[in-house]
Amino acid sequence: MNHLDVLRLLGSPTPEPPAGDGYGQVVPEDFELLVNALPRGVIAGSARLTHSELPVRSLTEFASDAALRLGDIRYYLRSREQKLPQSLFPEPGGLVPWGSTADDGVLLWDTTAPGTAEWTTVLTDSDFQFWLELPFTTSEFIAREVTGRAEGTPAFETDAQYRAGSWHRLKDAKRATARALADRDIAALDEVLVKLRSLGVPGIRQYARELVDRARNESPTALPEDYLAIMSEFPGGIIAGARVFPVAGTIWLDEERQFLQWGEVEGRLIGWLTMKSDPQDWRIAYIEPDGSSLTHLEEQTFATFLRRRLHGNNSLF
């Protein structure tokens, strides 16, 4: 998937190749060519590109507009006593913002790969609680948003068109989210799902379901329904400081198959004790980094554990 494929999906005319060879040296070429071809606006009612002087000559200059946002990320995670999923620019290999979601989330590049064409996408929400690690270039991410958008949502809207149309649907969705989260009786699973869906990036849900469907066909055992429901919306990454593996990444850690790992928290391996035959009865357990002990959190399911952390309770007990 390249920028020309995306322009065809957006119904945008294909421009002549720009003169010069400066594209793709500092940031990915597909991003620069898309910004060169598209006016400012919203793609599939969900994503915006950062516009800057082209071709980009300096990553420092490109990231300068996002400096306050990067500062917010550092501040809020520190205040929650949570670590960054990885370093932020200007540290070497750090995350660099390249766009935003319509709901004020941040789209970033993982710049650890040596070539800009290999930089993949990380998405975080406006509150920096969810960090989705995606194996997509800019073009691949946008193509998924366009093909996964809701019926009636334009592939591309200028800012003025967006404010007159899709923006109102987003406001309605925000109100519905707020009403659902205000329900004192909301179940843990429903609360996590409501927050995930409020990210408003349809291509991500589609990708997560692809992973779940594939893993269901390959897994030697059933898995708890709350885990499958959440992972049908979340393709892997960080939730409230806890690294959560996608379904295909779950790992059996002993020959008796009693501990199934689904993530990591503060260096500890976290998963389920699977001694009970019904996966719905499995409860959370964790192993210390040095393997010295295993602790069983007998009252915590996958969903209730994540809800506690989303509410600011970072304790494991």
Side-chain angles (χ1 to χ4, degrees), residues 221-226 272-273 276-283:
T221 182
L223 294 167
E225 288 300 324
D226 62 343
W272 299 283
L273 277 185
K276 296 184 178 179
S277 59
D278 187 347
Q280 311 321 315
D281 295 329
W282 294 353
R283 294 295 180 264

Side-chain angles (χ1 to χ4, degrees), residues 27-36 49-50 62 98 109 138:
V27 300
E29 183 180 40
D30 67 335
F31 170 84
E32 291 189 275
L33 294 175
L34 283 171
V35 170
N36 190 61
L49 302 178
T50 296
F62 177 78
W98 60 264
W109 285 305
T138 300

Side-chain angles (χ1 to χ4, degrees), residues 180-181 185-197 230 303 307:
L181 295 176
D185 298 322
I186 189 171
L189 173 59
D190 292 334
E191 182 174 337
V192 177
L193 290 178
V194 166
K195 289 182 176 180
L196 278 171
R197 289 167 185 165
I230 289 170
R307 175 164 68 173

Side-chain angles (χ1 to χ4, degrees), residues 155-177:
F156 180 85
E157 299 166 283
T158 65
D159 284 337
Q161 291 169 329
Y162 175 74
R163 286 192 293 270
S166 299
W167 182 83
H168 294 284
R169 289 196 291 274
L170 175 64
K171 295 296 286 186
D172 290 341
K174 284 185 175 181
R175 280 193 289 268
T177 295

Side-chain angles (χ1 to χ4, degrees), residues 221-224 252 254 256-261 271-279 281-283 285 296:
T221 182
L223 294 167
W252 291 100
D254 56 66
E256 295 181 0
R257 301 170 73 83
Q258 291 186 345
F259 184 86
L260 179 57
Q261 183 188 8
W272 299 283
L273 277 185
T274 66
M275 295 175 291
K276 296 184 178 179
S277 59
D278 187 347
D281 295 329
W282 294 353
R283 294 295 180 264
H296 191 193

Side-chain angles (χ1 to χ4, degrees), residues 13-214:
T14 302
E16 291 294 322
D21 58 358
Y23 288 86
Q25 305 303 308
V26 179
V27 300
E29 183 180 40
D30 67 335
F31 170 84
E32 291 189 275
L33 294 175
L34 283 171
V35 170
N36 190 61
L38 296 172
R40 292 181 183 271
V42 180
I43 299 169
S46 62
R48 302 174 185 269
L49 302 178
T50 296
H51 278 67
S52 64
E53 186 175 344
L54 298 174
V56 176
R57 301 297 184 187
S58 161
L59 199 54
T60 299
E61 182 179 336
F62 177 78
S64 62
D65 289 344
L68 291 176
R69 198 69 164 146
L70 292 172
D72 288 344
I73 292 172
R74 293 186 178 96
Y75 171 78
Y76 283 109
L77 292 187
R78 258 197 320 268
S79 69
R80 297 184 187 122
E81 299 182 347
Q82 295 172 357
K83 294 181 180 179
L84 284 163
Q86 66 187 81
S87 61
L88 295 174
F89 183 82
E91 294 181 42
L95 298 172
V96 175
W98 60 264
S100 62
T101 70
D103 201 17
D104 299 323
V106 186
L107 290 159
L108 309 103
W109 285 305
D110 178 342
T111 68
T112 52
T116 61
E118 299 169 331
W119 289 0
T120 53
T121 297
V122 174
L123 165 65
T124 186
D125 65 315
S126 58
D127 203 29
F128 317 123
Q129 288 277 62
F130 296 94
W131 293 81
L132 288 68
E133 297 165 344
L134 307 163
F136 306 137
T137 64
T138 300
S139 290
E140 290 169 323
F141 176 85
I142 292 173
R144 282 182 172 269
E145 292 308 292
V146 174
T147 57
R149 72 190 190 278
E151 186 177 352
T153 300
F156 180 85
E157 299 166 283
T158 65
D159 284 337
Q161 291 169 329
Y162 175 74
R163 286 192 293 270
S166 299
W167 182 83
H168 294 284
R169 289 196 291 274
L170 175 64
K171 295 296 286 186
D172 290 341
K174 284 185 175 181
R175 280 193 289 268
T177 295
R179 282 196 299 270
L181 295 176
D183 182 357
R184 291 173 179 249
D185 298 322
I186 189 171
L189 173 59
D190 292 334
E191 182 174 337
V192 177
L193 290 178
V194 166
K195 289 182 176 180
L196 278 171
R197 289 167 185 165
S198 70
L199 291 171
V201 278
I204 303 308
R205 181 185 299 180
Q206 183 183 55
Y207 172 60
R209 288 179 177 170
E210 289 172 14
L211 294 179
V212 169
D213 289 343
R214 188 185 315 153

Side-chain angles (χ1 to χ4, degrees), residues 296-314:
H296 191 193
L297 308 179
E298 299 182 41
E299 300 302 319
Q300 295 298 322
T301 66
F302 181 73
T304 60
F305 177 81
L306 292 180
R307 175 164 68 173
R308 288 170 73 237
R309 295 189 66 88
L310 287 167
H311 285 194
N313 183 351
N314 291 334

Side-chain angles (χ1 to χ4, degrees), residues 229-274:
I230 289 170
M231 300 311 288
S232 292
E233 311 277 343
F234 183 77
I238 307 290
I239 299 179
R243 178 167 293 282
V244 180
F245 302 154
V247 180
T250 53
I251 304 168
W252 291 100
L253 291 183
D254 56 66
E255 293 181 0
E256 295 181 0
R257 301 170 73 83
Q258 291 186 345
F259 184 86
L260 179 57
Q261 183 188 8
W262 54 256
E264 298 173 354
V265 179
E266 299 167 7
R268 299 172 175 90
L269 311 183
I270 191 159
W272 299 283
L273 277 185
T274 66

